[in-house]
Amino acid sequence: MNEFGDTADIESRTVNVSSSPEEQSEEILELANGCLCCSIKDTGVAAIEKLMQRKGAFDHILLETTGLADPGPIASIFWHNEEFASGLGRDISLDGVICVVDAFFGKQQMEEDHSEDHIGESLKQIAGSDVVLLNKADLISADALADVKSLIRRINPAAPIYPTIRGDVDLARIMGISAFTSPPPLASATPTPHSHTHTPEHNHDHDEGREPTHYELRGISSLQVLCPTLSPARFDALDAWIRAVLWENRIPETSLNEPATDLLVLRCKGLITTEDGKQYVLQGVRSMYDMMEIEKDGEADIGVSPVGKIVLIGKGLDETVRRSLEKAIQ
């Protein structure tokens, strides 16, 4: 538990993941000062190493950050970090990032949030999440709840949203989800308002005259592009495109000498199919990414669509970026 302020003794009293008092065997370790992103390499890792001494006594490690935290740097510590991979990474893996949004105050927070790079922490948390829990759903009307869900989907269309009351949720929805090894879900057949799933024939006339939301004025958005079956050359072109965007914050068509843009990808996910029948899962957090081949057991993979898709979440994801990505994979 990573809290800003001396509140862990209070918070620990509100945590209950057991069905009976006899089964309550949880242990809560406090990381003081609410600065996990700064202390994870010493205090945080030490706390987890202490837990691993009791390996076999637990199934999952739940790391609760402060509500002020940026999840990107924290997730990167547990995923594709060389020091971690040679140590604790041999025993544990990152399962997913869960964000809890206050249904009553969430919309107001998203509209008021701000930071120096024009993406406030609440938006970073939603953008970097694999699952969103919309808590206090009983305190607002159905229309207000739908409005908040729509805002969340526009920020992160890849994350499922589960309304909850007092945080009551089926653990199967937030644990064992394998978010960093599974392909992202495809968009539903019924698009949400202002859906950003794009095809080469996609037309943006429906955007004309639409007033942008507050978060869109501040630059955060998501971009979804359907990905055809890729040849080896197109696969390499996509890899090069991702490197330029994530590592250099530019699309390949622009030069390093050109003025800096506001392009910044906080999270990327994707499912990619190649001509030889292989499928890859794209996962990225800030500048770190991986395209991992999906293991096949001789039978058709249930739930894995042959249709590819790439999802980017961040800022500066305009039509120029979309066209550049489509050019790389077409």
Side-chain angles (χ1 to χ4, degrees), residues 117-175:
D117 65 354
H118 304 295
I119 301 179
E121 301 306 327
S122 67
L123 302 181
K124 290 179 181 178
Q125 291 170 2
I126 295 172
S129 297
D130 300 295
V131 174
V132 175
L133 301 182
L134 190 51
N135 198 37
K136 302 181 183 177
D138 57 324
L139 300 184
I140 60 176
S141 67
D143 288 343
L145 184 65
D147 192 21
V148 178
K149 290 172 70 174
S150 178
L151 276 176
I152 295 171
R153 285 198 181 98
R154 290 173 184 171
I155 298 171
N156 187 340
I161 304 171
Y162 301 119
T164 62
I165 299 174
R166 295 185 179 273
D168 186 12
V169 62
D170 183 349
L171 292 184
R173 291 180 166 180
I174 62 172
M175 301 173 73

Side-chain angles (χ1 to χ4, degrees), residues 19 26 47 77 120 152 157 195 212 244 281 289:
S19 57
E26 305 84 28
I77 292 294
I152 295 171
S195 173
V281 173
Y289 80 98

Side-chain angles (χ1 to χ4, degrees), residues 30-250:
E30 177 187 1
L31 302 180
N33 300 324
C35 196
L36 182 60
C37 55
C38 301
S39 62
I40 183 64
K41 289 188 176 180
D42 37 70
T43 308
V45 168
I48 296 174
E49 286 176 341
K50 179 181 176 182
L51 284 174
M52 293 309 293
Q53 293 175 3
R54 298 172 53 234
K55 183 179 178 181
F58 54 86
D59 300 312
H60 300 274
I61 297 175
L62 301 181
L63 180 57
E64 182 195 14
T65 69
T66 169
L68 305 175
D70 177 355
I74 300 173
S76 298
I77 292 294
F78 296 93
W79 183 68
H80 277 219
N81 177 277
E82 293 182 1
E83 295 180 10
F84 185 77
S86 62
L88 289 174
R90 292 175 296 183
D91 296 312
I92 64 177
S93 60
L94 181 60
D95 185 45
V97 179
I98 315 300
C99 177
V100 180
V101 176
D102 187 312
F104 194 87
F105 292 109
K107 181 180 178 181
Q108 177 183 345
Q109 182 65 51
M110 284 184 275
E111 292 175 344
E112 293 179 352
D113 208 357
H114 66 278
S115 65
E116 292 181 359
D117 65 354
H118 304 295
I119 301 179
E121 301 306 327
S122 67
L123 302 181
K124 290 179 181 178
Q125 291 170 2
I126 295 172
S129 297
D130 300 295
V131 174
V132 175
L133 301 182
L134 190 51
N135 198 37
K136 302 181 183 177
D138 57 324
L139 300 184
I140 60 176
S141 67
D143 288 343
L145 184 65
D147 192 21
V148 178
K149 290 172 70 174
S150 178
L151 276 176
I152 295 171
R153 285 198 181 98
R154 290 173 184 171
I155 298 171
N156 187 340
I161 304 171
Y162 301 119
T164 62
I165 299 174
R166 295 185 179 273
D168 186 12
V169 62
D170 183 349
L171 292 184
R173 291 180 166 180
I174 62 172
M175 301 173 73
I177 59 177
S178 302
F180 278 75
T181 57
S182 301
L186 287 174
S188 60
T190 304
T192 57
H194 194 53
S195 173
H196 269 74
T197 300
H198 295 287
T199 64
E201 296 78 21
H202 186 79
N203 188 299
H204 266 247
D205 291 343
H206 64 278
D207 281 347
E208 295 181 1
R210 185 183 68 88
E211 290 296 325
T213 63
H214 188 90
Y215 84 88
E216 287 173 326
L217 288 172
R218 297 180 56 248
I220 192 168
S221 62
S222 60
L223 180 68
Q224 297 186 52
V225 175
L226 296 182
C227 184
T229 301
L230 301 183
S231 66
R234 291 297 91 195
F235 185 85
D236 291 342
L238 173 61
D239 192 31
W241 191 91
I242 293 172
R243 290 198 304 270
V245 171
L246 268 60
W247 295 356
E248 301 168 0
N249 296 328
R250 67 178 182 89

